[in-house]
Amino acid sequence: VSEKKKAWAIFTNSANQIFTPILVDELAKKYAQTNKNEKVKQLTSLSSKLAMLLHPDQIIPMDSINKIALMHNENQYVGFAEKVEAFKKGNNSEIKELIDMVSPRAKKIESIFSNELENLDKIRANRVVDKLLLQIGRTKLKAKELNELTK
């Protein structure tokens, strides 16, 4: 069995299971073994995005902007996921307020998928956290760029 098939099996065999952060890192490693010329950094981000597509209620994708928001300098999804959980706990009331704000409109859209997707509340919450991290990361990046321009 090829390494690509083994990597894909991580997703397909766990499609109905809890998808842990360790599996995201495992997929990135397996894929890196089959594509020696690609950077593992890109593979971890890609792996987290693939995992999010299969398990949007369990995975928040890791990308360079979200990493900036969380001050996560490693290329390991496990550490990223731990920081996401700490962020959620530390900002619980603000996140809940944002979720409450978007829920009425989101529920209208989600009603289309209610028979196809489970855990829509959890998916919505994860998407809100992802977008919040994206905004925080962009703000930090802009501040850094402005700081460098004024040097």
Side-chain angles (χ1 to χ4, degrees), residues 21 24-25 44 48 59-87 129-130 133:
V24 175
D25 288 331
T44 304
S48 74
I59 300 289
I60 291 177
M62 180 179 88
D63 60 27
S64 60
I65 304 295
N66 285 359
K67 285 174 65 175
I68 290 169
L70 296 171
M71 294 183 285
H72 181 70
N73 298 320
E74 301 170 2
N75 192 32
Q76 298 285 322
Y77 189 82
V78 171
F80 173 80
E82 290 169 357
K83 288 184 178 179
V84 167
E85 288 306 311
F87 176 82
V129 170
D130 180 40
L133 290 172

Side-chain angles (χ1 to χ4, degrees), residues 6-46:
K6 287 179 189 175
W8 183 246
I10 291 171
F11 282 124
T12 56
N13 290 338
S14 65
N16 296 316
Q17 300 172 10
I18 293 175
F19 203 90
T20 66
I22 293 169
L23 289 176
V24 175
D25 288 331
E26 289 289 319
L27 180 68
K29 288 176 191 172
K30 291 271 187 206
Y31 192 74
Q33 291 170 358
T34 63
N35 296 285
K36 303 288 184 197
N37 60 341
E38 294 190 41
K39 296 179 183 176
V40 176
K41 180 178 180 182
Q42 295 170 342
L43 300 176
T44 304
S45 175
L46 175 64

